[in-house]
Amino acid sequence: MNRSMKLAYNTFVVVAAALAAMLIGAIVFLAVGADVGKAYAVILTEPLKDVIGITEIIVRAIPLSMIALGIAIAFRSGILNIGAEGQMLIGILASSAVAIALPGVPKIILVPLAILAGAAGGALWGGLAGILKARLGVNEILSTVMLNYIAAQFHTFLLRGPMMDPEELVTGSGTPQTVRLPQNAWLDRLVPGTRLHAGLFVALGLAVVVFLLLWRTTAGYRMRAAGAEAKAARYAGVKVERYLVIAMLLSGAFAGMAGAIEILGVHRRAIEGVSGGYGFTGIVVALFGGLHPA
């Protein structure tokens, strides 16, 4: 199958999947007595009627695309990362902790530090599953799902305990959230009156980085070789286990960065439920994107 045929086939699969989803949705709408045409008209056109709707689509696309890029690295390397949700939560905690602990640091330093802290937190959580897979043969689906639960409980514990905003204790509301992050840790808003932030440029930049890594470097070639056929890669001298760990470190780092960007750019404080299922939806985004950054 040549490139043009492959592109046509992939396009057909995506279109067919979208139509099938809409058909199933139509059946559900009919079952509850809704107007199918009106419902889909609202779904497909309402978000595009004003600047706020359009920018909100992009705001949600930023963390999804960053997580999907990390998922693509892992899947291309032959390891299934189902733990982006937990990695994102750990990234949120690490990023928030750095921003809160260093309020006097200039913005030009604090923002990158907070993002890198989020990446480090996510990489740590992803790397655990990578090491378990490479060294002990633990199934990565089981380990990443279990680590999701641990991360969620740890996130809840800190937001309801050590990292809770003291004002919540004073007022007695007990809302599980941190204090407001210092303004010099906020990502700039790109369009006044909307939540669209500078994290968009980070996501686009990371897409370029992933493409160059996987398709223009020796390490990327080895990672893809390990994912395509591990036995053949080992025979060719590729240290497959090493690249499994590297892939999970990178995949976790991308999820952690997505969490950091979401906090610094949108919410500006860590709150409960902030991940919104992005970690799982990012897997779907990666697969629909053919595991390619473009």
Side-chain angles (χ1 to χ4, degrees):
M1 184 182 292
N2 58 37
R3 182 171 294 183
S4 59
M5 290 181 63
K6 187 176 181 180
L7 177 61
Y9 173 77
N10 289 338
T11 302
F12 169 77
V13 170
V14 171
V15 172
L19 291 175
M22 292 182 71
L23 176 61
I24 294 172
I27 294 172
V28 173
F29 287 138
L30 288 172
V32 298
D35 185 327
V36 176
K38 186 175 181 179
Y40 276 123
V42 171
I43 291 172
L44 298 175
T45 65
E46 195 68 26
L48 305 176
K49 285 185 176 180
D50 54 35
V51 173
I52 292 178
I54 295 171
T55 55
E56 280 299 305
I57 293 173
I58 302 173
V59 167
R60 285 162 173 74
I62 291 171
L64 283 174
S65 60
M66 293 177 68
I67 290 170
L69 289 168
I71 295 296
I73 293 174
F75 281 30
R76 287 276 184 181
S77 302
I79 185 165
L80 305 179
N81 181 15
I82 314 297
E85 186 81 4
Q87 293 148 19
M88 182 179 183
L89 291 176
I90 297 299
I92 287 170
L93 292 174
S95 177
S96 301
V98 167
I100 294 169
L102 303 172
V105 175
K107 182 171 186 172
I108 194 172
I109 297 175
L110 185 55
V111 169
L113 271 180
I115 294 174
L116 288 174
L124 170 66
W125 216 245
L128 289 174
I131 292 171
L132 288 171
K133 171 72 172 181
R135 301 300 181 190
L136 302 175
V138 177
N139 185 288
E140 70 272 21
I141 296 177
L142 295 178
S143 62
T144 50
V145 169
M146 294 298 182
L147 285 168
N148 279 340
Y149 285 110
I150 297 172
Q153 294 299 322
F154 187 55
H155 183 265
T156 299
F157 164 72
L158 289 182
L159 294 191
R160 292 179 179 271
M163 291 182 70
M164 179 185 278
D165 184 354
E167 288 298 318
E168 298 299 327
L169 298 175
V170 172
T171 61
S173 61
T175 303
Q177 61 184 22
T178 65
V179 297
R180 193 82 161 169
L181 301 185
Q183 288 194 18
N184 50 334
W186 296 0
L187 288 172
D188 294 332
R189 296 281 167 85
L190 301 180
V191 180
T194 73
R195 301 196 301 172
L196 183 61
H197 54 82
L200 171 64
F201 301 121
V202 178
L204 292 173
L206 289 176
V208 176
V209 168
V210 171
F211 173 76
L212 294 176
L213 169 66
L214 290 180
W215 280 274
R216 293 294 185 271
T217 67
T218 302
Y221 175 80
R222 289 173 177 169
M223 291 167 76
R224 289 188 293 116
E229 181 46 68
K231 289 183 179 179
R234 286 192 185 92
Y235 184 78
V238 176
K239 296 182 178 179
V240 173
E241 287 73 20
R242 174 187 295 178
Y243 286 102
L244 288 179
V245 176
I246 292 173
M248 282 301 294
L249 285 170
L250 290 173
S251 188
F254 275 60
M257 274 192 286
I261 294 292
E262 182 72 3
I263 290 300
L264 302 179
V266 179
H267 304 285
R268 294 172 173 173
R269 71 168 78 211
I271 59 178
E272 199 171 51
V274 68
S275 63
Y278 281 140
F280 298 112
T281 309
I283 298 172
V284 180
V285 174
L287 294 174
F288 267 114
L291 301 178
H292 194 289

